[in-house]
Amino acid sequence: MNKIKNYENSGIPGDDEVLFLSLGGIGSIGSNMYVYGHRGKWLIVDYGIGFAGDNIPGIDITFADPKFLEERKEDILGMVITHAHEDHIGALSYMYDKVDCPIYATGFTADMIKHKLKDGGFSSKKLNVLKTGDKFKVGDFELEFVEMTHSIPEPQALLIKTSVGNIFHTGDWKIDENPVVGHCVNKDRLNEIGQEGLLALVGDSTNVMSKFCSESEGDIKQGIYETIKAISGGVAVTCFASNVARISSIIDAGIKCNRKIVLVGRSLFRVIECARNNGYLQNLPEFYEPEDVVDCNKKDLLYICTGSQGESRAGLARIARGDHRYVKLGTNDNVIFSARSIPGNEISIATVQNMLVERGVHIITPSDAMVHASGHGAREEMRELYKMLKPKLCIPMHGESLHLSRHAQLAKDVGIKKTCILNNGDVLLINKKESFIIDQVYTGEMVLDGNKITAIDSSAVRQRRKISYGGLVVVSVVLDDHGSLLAIPNTTLEGIAMACDNEREKLTEMIEDSILKLSDKEMISDNTVKENVRIATRRYIEKKTGKKSQVKIHLARVSV
Ligand SMILES: [Zn+2]
Ligand SMILES: [Zn+2]
């Protein structure tokens, strides 16, 4: 592939080209943010969060650094949101003001976005509500929502028409012939789009490792019913709150089995409200909150819980720890995991499952019964989509490197002439004849650290990671103006396995020695004293514990 460095127009998309780049979402699953450029203007698709995993202590979520867009704020036409999953809308709560542009989404997605904007203290006045399948214009981009199927209502692919040609951005999708909520994929429209000619397809890679087809929500509905029917004790089902079809299936099973539906987790109420506002989940029985049913026999109840990913603050983890005020599960009770793990969450999920098992709860996972279907198309579905759309170019997105490369291989296998695996920040130029990378722009990851937004490589986050590995030593030293010690150095050790008093005394002696051996001239330099104490302390701790600890020195000078 050609790589033209210093291409003059890389910051300003020309009239006869479309530029495509991702600021997040290529090379990892999560933090989606894609950008299209044409005729000097930019269109954003999605702005979501990623889960941080366990390698960043104290950090739960990450999202793309929008610096590239902030520098071009006046040329941003708008942001189209494909669907309301956290990895596509979650960053709006924290970062919307950085782009502050019109947002385009269908009804259910828009309602979920309104909550996100409100959570962040942002106005929704630039939010434009469209219908599934709508055609609309944003600047020189002619856009069309094409409804797909996924694990949330109203998942839209986006057909992007420009004077250069058409691009199909799949969003997250599968082909579900019985989606329970919403419509089946409109294959006639997809075939038409293919016949009209497609320059490129930017496509979801999540499930490329799965061989056949994803299961249908309709089959899962039956599986959940049969599983619950066979249970005589208490039963709780956990799934993603946003999976409205799944919630509908669980409620349906509960009604058929004469169980009252009890919702555990605030986000369920939010999603159900958004779903009902948009015509889904109509004609349902009354929902109960856990405190309403404390006197009921558990065999008459069906709990629907948040926390399928092992989130420690969610309803299910609280039940597993035994600290949920109103819901207690134990022997004769069952928890159905109607979800699979998002990569990175496996340990948290196993922790919750183990805690439940230790209470005597019986666990049912997708390996035991038909209680979960993926929301992403497997290889057969991907092949089918390529056969309908026949793009000239395939650009895999929404996947880790392995997924991207398998996706590219699959596209080649079905006869797609060209595939292009990008990194976040690579600027791909697409014109009528060819496509090539012209530049690499700044990308970075931001994290939410408590209530502060910071870069993932900020000193606070880096320090925390180092301290979590090797612990922290704080040394306080008091000297007079000439460098004489006025008190025994004070040490505080956090997270270091060196409890023996003798070793602590030795450490103090080492610190004193490191100061006493300094020359008169060195003694009067604060930096020299600090550095010598730091090195002596670090070496001693490393010798005793085998770990490199973080060492901080407080030096005070007192005139006597
Ligand atoms: Zn996604
Ligand atoms: Zn999704």
Side-chain angles (χ1 to χ4, degrees):
M1 179 156 300
N2 303 326
K3 168 124 183 161
I4 302 178
K5 281 195 179 138
N6 304 321
Y7 180 84
E8 280 179 14
N9 287 339
S10 62
I12 308 159
D15 290 358
D16 50 6
E17 65 194 25
V18 175
L19 303 185
F20 169 75
L21 66 137
S22 82
L23 295 177
I26 288 187
S28 64
I29 291 180
S31 301
N32 293 287
M33 188 181 217
Y34 306 96
V35 187
Y36 292 87
H38 180 54
R39 296 195 169 187
K41 301 289 180 190
W42 301 95
L43 178 75
I44 307 167
V45 178
D46 295 337
Y47 197 5
I49 57 165
F51 292 104
D54 293 331
N55 60 340
I56 319 176
I59 304 284
D60 293 329
I61 60 170
T62 67
F63 33 82
D65 187 337
K67 183 167 168 276
F68 173 82
L69 292 164
E70 279 182 274
E71 288 167 353
R72 292 159 177 79
K73 212 167 172 178
E74 63 285 2
D75 292 323
I76 300 173
L77 295 168
M79 179 189 294
V80 180
I81 302 289
T82 58
H83 66 291
H85 272 152
E86 285 291 329
D87 59 325
H88 298 259
I89 67 167
L92 292 171
S93 297
Y94 314 106
M95 303 299 279
Y96 175 61
D97 56 333
K98 301 289 187 283
V99 286
D100 191 25
C101 62
I103 302 177
Y104 302 86
T106 60
F108 172 80
T109 309
D111 275 357
M112 295 284 282
I113 291 170
K114 266 183 215 161
H115 283 292
K116 287 277 156 204
L117 293 173
K118 197 172 164 208
D119 289 347
F122 303 126
S123 154
S124 324
K125 69 174 191 289
K126 292 187 188 170
L127 178 60
N128 299 279
V129 185
L130 300 150
K131 287 196 204 62
T132 179
D134 268 0
K135 293 179 181 171
F136 55 108
K137 229 176 157 219
V138 179
D140 286 327
F141 290 97
E142 277 182 48
L143 304 172
E144 178 182 337
F145 274 144
V146 181
E147 187 174 350
M148 306 296 277
T149 45
H150 184 38
S151 44
I152 194 165
E154 300 174 9
Q156 308 294 319
L158 189 64
L159 178 64
I160 302 168
K161 290 187 172 180
T162 69
S163 55
V164 181
N166 300 350
I167 297 174
F168 193 83
H169 185 104
T170 66
D172 294 3
W173 68 278
K174 69 190 266 193
I175 297 176
D176 192 334
E177 304 296 350
N178 184 5
V180 177
V181 158
H183 311 100
C184 294
V185 172
N186 185 343
K187 291 185 182 173
D188 291 343
R189 182 66 195 124
L190 293 176
N191 276 311
E192 277 169 22
I193 291 167
Q195 279 152 21
E196 284 165 27
L198 208 52
L199 278 182
L201 179 145
V202 179
D204 178 5
S205 314
T206 315
N207 235 357
V208 70
M209 309 299 282
S210 300
K211 211 168 178 184
F212 303 109
C213 285
S214 59
E215 283 103 3
S216 163
E217 279 297 328
D219 297 337
I220 300 308
K221 180 175 177 153
Q222 184 64 20
I224 287 176
Y225 167 61
E226 282 167 15
T227 307
I228 294 175
K229 198 172 87 173
I231 293 172
S232 56
V235 55
V237 188
T238 184
C239 66
F240 279 103
S242 57
N243 195 337
V244 173
R246 193 68 55 81
I247 288 169
S248 160
S249 299
I250 299 166
I251 293 170
D252 198 64
I255 296 166
K256 282 189 191 150
C257 296
N258 293 317
R259 289 174 184 261
K260 288 189 173 111
I261 309 298
V262 189
L263 302 183
V264 187
R266 304 307 323 164
S267 52
L268 283 162
F269 289 91
R270 180 185 274 197
V271 173
I272 289 172
E273 181 206 314
C274 291
R276 285 181 149 177
N277 283 346
N278 289 280
Y280 308 107
L281 298 180
Q282 304 293 311
N283 306 319
L284 293 178
E286 193 184 348
F287 296 125
Y288 294 89
E289 298 205 37
E291 53 266 50
D292 303 333
V293 292
V294 277
D295 296 329
C296 293
N297 191 319
K298 275 188 276 181
K299 71 175 176 45
D300 300 323
L301 303 176
L302 173 65
Y303 296 104
I304 306 180
C305 304
T306 54
S308 67
Q309 297 303 299
E311 302 94 319
S312 64
R313 288 186 293 273
L316 188 67
R318 295 199 336 258
I319 295 168
R321 286 194 299 267
D323 60 12
H324 194 288
R325 214 161 143 201
Y326 303 107
V327 187
K328 309 282 175 207
L329 296 183
T331 315
N332 292 330
D333 295 328
N334 302 266
V335 172
I336 301 172
F337 279 78
S338 183
R340 272 201 210 283
S341 54
I342 292 179
N345 294 342
E346 294 84 355
I347 294 172
S348 314
I349 297 169
T351 304
V352 168
Q353 290 180 338
N354 284 323
M355 284 193 290
L356 287 166
V357 168
E358 283 157 22
R359 295 188 166 274
V361 175
H362 180 235
I363 301 282
I364 299 162
T365 71
S367 316
D368 305 315
M370 276 279 277
V371 292
H372 176 68
S374 170
H376 300 268
R379 288 215 283 275
E380 274 311 309
E381 290 149 271
M382 294 171 81
R383 282 194 192 102
E384 192 179 349
L385 188 75
Y386 277 110
K387 280 177 189 157
M388 290 188 277
L389 291 173
K390 302 183 212 59
K392 285 189 193 158
L393 167 68
C394 149
I395 306 163
M397 64 162 174
H398 205 286
E400 296 169 359
S401 301
L402 179 61
H403 303 111
L404 304 177
S405 82
R406 291 288 176 93
H407 183 166
Q409 186 58 50
L410 178 141
K412 269 185 207 149
D413 293 347
V414 293
I416 307 305
K417 285 200 181 73
K418 192 169 176 184
T419 59
C420 182
I421 296 177
L422 299 176
N423 294 304
N424 287 329
D426 284 346
V427 182
L428 182 75
L429 181 149
I430 306 166
N431 62 29
K432 283 182 178 163
K433 290 194 190 120
E434 56 186 348
S435 57
F436 45 90
I437 295 170
I438 56 166
D439 208 348
Q440 162 66 227
V441 301
Y442 173 82
T443 56
E445 247 184 303
M446 311 285 286
V447 297
L448 183 67
D449 189 9
N451 57 13
K452 289 253 182 304
I453 292 163
T454 172
I456 199 166
D457 54 359
S458 70
S459 62
V461 176
R462 274 187 286 131
Q463 277 292 80
R464 189 124 34 91
R465 193 184 284 143
K466 286 180 187 165
I467 291 169
S468 76
Y469 172 74
L472 172 70
V473 189
V474 180
V475 181
S476 300
V477 175
V478 184
L479 299 178
D480 70 11
D481 291 338
H482 309 291
S484 298
L485 270 166
L486 292 180
I488 297 168
N490 195 315
T491 57
T492 304
L493 277 63
E494 298 290 353
I496 296 170
M498 206 178 71
C500 154
D501 285 349
N502 191 20
E503 286 179 342
R504 294 286 295 262
E505 279 166 24
K506 256 268 175 308
L507 172 62
T508 309
E509 279 172 28
M510 297 286 297
I511 293 167
E512 283 177 338
D513 288 351
S514 73
I515 297 169
L516 293 173
K517 73 173 192 210
L518 295 174
S519 68
D520 289 352
K521 199 176 155 206
E522 287 170 327
M523 289 276 202
I524 52 174
S525 159
D526 285 1
N527 283 343
T528 307
V529 175
K530 279 182 170 178
E531 190 56 11
N532 272 276
V533 173
R534 195 185 70 78
I535 291 167
T537 307
R538 197 171 150 101
R539 271 192 199 141
Y540 182 77
I541 300 280
E542 191 178 356
K543 199 171 123 200
K544 288 291 165 195
T545 66
K547 290 209 150 195
K548 287 188 167 65
S549 302
Q550 293 298 296
V551 180
K552 298 288 161 203
I553 315 297
H554 291 165
L555 172 61
R557 298 249 186 206
V558 178
S559 298
V560 285

